[in-house]
Amino acid sequence: MLYFLNKPFTRQNLNFFIGELKCQRCGRCCGGELDQIKDGGVIVKPDEVKSLAGSLGVSPHQFKDKHTFTKEGKRFMTLPCVFLTSDGCSNYRGRPEVCRQFPFNKTYHHEKSGVDYMSVADCPAGRIVGQRLGVKV
């Protein structure tokens, strides 16, 4: 069973969460401030590099050299993200898949209980929806 904060993460509250989640455009995820990002970062898939490079008007090679790094065989965006502006993401429609999935892309395992859980408490939008679900955040 997957848990959302302290409640079982069911299809019903997932659908509610997705429907209610409105990005607050705080940029904390894009700036690398959240715990969910600090330990890994924003993974960029090979097929996303060309599109991201095109958004900046540079070649894929230039984009990789200047805005990414490789760790354990995976390519990550350097943070803060090059697309982060004071108004949020300047490439919101073309952002990587991992950004589109945030804050649903990180689960944690609690060793003592053996429970896998998802925490979105670091995300302002996640906190708002969590409060609507009656979850103490």
Side-chain angles (χ1 to χ4, degrees), residues 23-40:
C23 179
Q24 302 298 297
R25 302 182 71 79
C26 70
R28 292 181 63 212
C29 49
C30 312
E33 298 173 38
L34 303 182
D35 287 341
Q36 290 170 289
I37 302 294
K38 286 180 185 173
D39 65 349

Side-chain angles (χ1 to χ4, degrees), residues 28-45 67 69 71-72 74-81 96-99 101-102 105-106 108:
R28 292 181 63 212
C29 49
C30 312
E33 298 173 38
L34 303 182
D35 287 341
Q36 290 170 289
I37 302 294
K38 286 180 185 173
D39 65 349
V42 175
I43 295 174
V44 181
K45 294 180 177 180
H67 303 293
F69 65 95
K71 177 179 163 186
E72 299 173 2
K74 296 179 183 172
R75 185 160 302 279
F76 294 86
M77 296 274 290
T78 54
L79 298 176
C81 180
E97 181 180 343
V98 71
C99 298
Q101 294 173 347
F102 188 84
N105 52 0
K106 179 74 176 188
Y108 301 87

